[in-house]
Amino acid sequence: MTSIIFMGTPEFGVPILTALAAKYDVVTVITQPDRLVGRKQRLQQSPVKVAATKLGIPVLQPEKLSGSPELDQAIALAPDLIVTAAYGQFLPTKFLKAAKIAALNVHGSLLPKYRGGAPIQYSIINGDAATGVTIMEMVKAMDAGDIYAQATLPLTRADDTGTVFAKLSLMGRDLLLETLPQIIAGTATKRPQDPALVTFSPTLTKEQEHLDITLPAPQLDQWVRGLRPAVGGYVYLNGERVKLWAITPQAAPTTAAPGVVIARSKKRLVVAAGAHTSFAIDELQPAGKSRQSIAAFLNGAGQAIKEGDLIIGNAQ
């Protein structure tokens, strides 16, 4: 049976690992170390580690693979294939060469577009009509290897990073299982990436979580959905930091300055944005509180808000 070392960390890799383990010999899983998370700083295993443990597969968790004892252990396994899916580290060349057949990556974009660590987020932030998944050969340069197969996923306003991650995970699983027999048999074809079409999607920074109210409302909505559900984009509402979890761009133009309330009722709050646009806030989260509907907010902490108020500002 074909032997595989699987590498992944978030939920994106779980369906892929589970499917591989059902059909091939996954000899070990490499994932990121357990991390302290949340206000209580509880130690949390990666979703891929949890899945591997349930499957009875040995797990390696180097802080950094390069130069680690775990690297030597993995190379000694001499796998037929190395398969990665959102692992989160660069891989040493000597490790990639340890695969007898190929080292493969399941990447969440239509390469060469969006090389890097946040392809799904950028596809939503940039308002793309579609994204997809790529099965590619891994090389030393980031996401630069030849392409074996791709599948396309249309995007809609109902999508956010969470929904697209889930869809592409399943799509990537199915495409990998479809492609692997040909790769193993040596009959698969591959094509190089066009360097003229390369774009990058670097990991988003903390600064990018601060939403720019001067953006047109549709673009602001793209940022809200691109940052959801992992972190959430925030603004300063009446001087307090508030996350916007869901907004709806409005059709009618406005002459009001960005951040000004242009409509307010018991269950509705519409705020001006850039380029004479506006948006309704549907769901938000004040600092230190839980996510809540706009109706709940207006019935509580937002009772004093009225039309004409400048409630949102960019710099605080």
Side-chain angles (χ1 to χ4, degrees):
M1 183 181 289
T2 302
S3 62
I4 296 175
I5 290 178
F6 179 81
M7 310 180 73
T9 299
E11 190 66 33
F12 182 84
V14 172
I16 300 169
L17 168 60
T18 303
L20 288 175
K23 194 169 183 179
Y24 300 98
D25 181 19
V26 180
V27 293
T28 197
V29 165
I30 303 177
T31 188
Q32 296 291 318
D34 300 351
R35 303 293 188 194
L36 295 172
V37 298
R39 293 181 181 178
K40 296 184 179 180
Q41 289 291 278
R42 291 177 176 168
L43 198 62
Q44 187 175 83
Q45 300 176 351
S46 75
V48 163
K49 180 182 179 180
V50 173
T53 302
K54 289 179 180 178
L55 292 166
I57 302 171
V59 176
L60 299 176
Q61 294 180 272
E63 189 67 44
K64 183 180 180 183
L65 184 61
S66 183
S68 69
E70 290 88 349
L71 174 61
D72 295 332
Q73 293 177 50
I75 290 175
L77 292 171
D80 294 313
L81 295 166
I82 296 169
V83 177
T84 71
Y87 171 55
Q89 285 188 28
F90 282 105
L91 305 183
T93 301
K94 68 176 183 178
F95 175 63
L96 299 179
K97 290 182 177 179
K100 296 175 185 176
I101 299 173
L104 307 171
N105 182 34
V106 183
H107 185 74
S109 82
L110 296 173
L111 290 171
K113 190 172 187 178
Y114 298 140
R115 293 181 184 179
I120 294 173
Q121 290 90 331
Y122 277 90
S123 68
I124 297 171
I125 288 168
N126 291 335
D128 293 351
T131 185
V133 68
T134 300
I135 309 299
M136 56 164 287
E137 183 177 45
M138 284 192 289
V139 295
K140 185 176 181 180
M142 182 179 63
D143 300 328
D146 291 349
I147 294 170
Y148 280 105
Q150 291 184 312
T152 300
L153 175 72
L155 295 174
T156 72
R157 262 210 74 238
D159 282 312
D160 61 19
T161 292
T163 64
V164 177
F165 256 97
K167 293 175 186 178
L168 289 187
S169 176
L170 299 179
M171 184 178 284
R173 175 199 64 188
D174 295 345
L175 188 62
L176 180 65
L177 291 181
E178 179 184 323
T179 308
L180 274 181
Q182 289 76 39
I183 294 175
I184 293 168
T187 59
T189 59
K190 56 185 180 179
R191 58 182 173 84
Q193 297 184 39
D194 184 345
L197 300 178
V198 171
T199 62
F200 293 95
S201 58
T203 301
L204 294 167
T205 65
K206 290 288 186 182
E207 290 74 20
Q208 287 175 293
E209 295 172 18
H210 187 178
L211 300 170
D212 184 356
I213 193 67
T214 66
L215 291 175
Q219 194 173 346
L220 190 63
D221 173 58
Q222 290 160 199
W223 273 96
V224 169
R225 293 185 290 111
L227 293 168
R228 191 178 72 211
V231 291
Y234 69 89
V235 294
Y236 285 94
L237 194 155
N238 286 338
E240 299 293 328
R241 182 163 160 161
V242 172
K243 288 189 176 184
L244 299 183
W245 287 111
I247 67 173
T248 301
Q250 303 297 289
T254 179
T255 58
V260 171
V261 176
I262 63 172
R264 201 266 198 221
S265 67
K266 290 183 178 180
K267 297 182 179 181
R268 190 165 181 264
L269 187 68
V270 180
V271 180
H276 306 294
T277 63
S278 64
F279 61 94
I281 299 176
D282 302 314
E283 186 179 4
L284 48 65
Q285 183 179 9
K289 298 183 179 179
S290 60
R291 291 170 62 163
Q292 55 192 268
S293 68
I294 191 60
F297 173 75
L298 293 173
N299 192 45
Q303 288 186 54
I305 293 174
K306 59 184 184 299
E307 288 186 20
D309 285 351
L310 176 62
I311 63 166
I312 298 177
N314 279 319
Q316 297 287 336

